Amino acid sequence: MSSVIRCSLGLVVALTSVPVALGATGDDPPPVSAAALCRDLPRSLRVDPHLRPVVLDMCRRAPTFRRQLARIAEEPDLVVTIDVWRVRWSDRARARTQLDRELGHLRSAGVQVRVDEAERVVELIAHEFEHILEQLDNIDLHLWVGRSGVYRVDRNDRTGAIETGRARSVGRKVAAEYALAPPLQARTGNWP
């Protein structure tokens, strides 16, 4: 079963608080250091070469994004890809995530991000990662539509894409952390 979460960051919504659940139990492996996480990135993460320098820089500069990565890395069967999304200019959405489940478990997430607005790429990636974490938290967004900052983006009230205040808030938070932290490595590569 596949579902698509599309978002258009041009919409105005009420933001909700964003709990980030990152705790360790006695059975968990020791946490990976921030330096190791950002140097190697999780093996389950596959990043388009044009976006890899940005993702590495996000990891180094934004603690909230590091927590997102660490949480995703804890899922042994989950594969996340980040690709450049080449869409028609008339499409309002700037990013989307394709989620694939198998026997009720999230197995893959394909994040696609438009890069025509380069300054928003950091926010878009973090926003889409938060949608993945919402699914790992087993949040049934269909039950929450119309409440707690969860709403449909499209006109179709039954099958339209769902947006959340949680993802919008985290995207903005990561973008702010990224902007405030000094660059730790010069950015390389050109936008496609």
Side-chain angles (χ1 to χ4, degrees):
M1 175 165 104
S2 295
S3 58
V4 175
I5 297 174
R6 279 190 347 166
C7 51
S8 173
L9 292 179
L11 299 173
V12 177
V13 296
L15 298 177
T16 60
S17 63
V18 183
V20 178
L22 287 175
T25 66
D27 298 333
D28 291 336
V32 176
S33 74
L37 180 68
C38 297
R39 180 187 61 240
D40 301 329
L41 293 178
R43 286 183 291 163
S44 61
L45 183 65
R46 296 182 173 72
V47 184
D48 181 290
H50 291 98
L51 295 172
R52 188 172 183 82
V54 174
V55 171
L56 288 167
D57 207 23
M58 288 173 67
C59 186
R60 292 180 186 109
R61 294 169 65 177
T64 301
F65 185 69
R66 278 195 301 276
R67 287 191 292 274
Q68 288 180 311
L69 277 179
R71 175 79 189 285
I72 288 170
E74 290 174 357
E75 298 296 324
D77 299 324
L78 176 62
V79 175
V80 176
T81 59
I82 307 173
D83 290 311
V84 173
W85 186 20
R86 292 170 174 80
V87 295
R88 298 184 319 261
W89 286 100
S90 62
D91 195 330
R92 293 183 326 157
R94 291 179 174 85
R96 69 179 180 181
T97 297
Q98 174 86 31
L99 303 168
D100 291 311
R101 293 183 172 280
E102 184 179 299
L103 300 173
H105 298 286
L106 188 60
R107 296 296 182 215
S108 69
V111 174
Q112 293 180 312
V113 180
R114 286 175 54 173
V115 295
D116 51 308
E117 296 180 48
E119 67 279 357
R120 301 208 55 194
V121 169
V122 168
E123 180 180 348
L124 292 168
I125 291 171
H127 177 112
E128 295 304 317
F129 270 41
E130 196 62 25
H131 282 312
I132 296 167
L133 296 183
E134 290 167 342
Q135 295 306 298
L136 292 176
D137 289 343
N138 294 314
I139 298 172
D140 186 345
L141 295 177
H142 297 283
L143 294 176
W144 286 94
V145 169
R147 298 179 286 163
S148 298
V150 179
Y151 60 94
R152 293 218 184 258
V153 179
D154 298 332
R155 295 182 194 268
N156 188 331
D157 289 338
R158 292 191 179 185
T159 61
I162 297 175
E163 187 49 78
T164 69
R166 172 178 160 171
R168 291 176 60 95
S169 179
V170 170
R172 289 180 181 140
K173 181 178 182 180
V174 169
E177 291 172 354
Y178 182 86
L180 292 173
L184 299 176
Q185 177 183 7
R187 291 187 204 169
T188 60
N190 297 321
W191 296 104

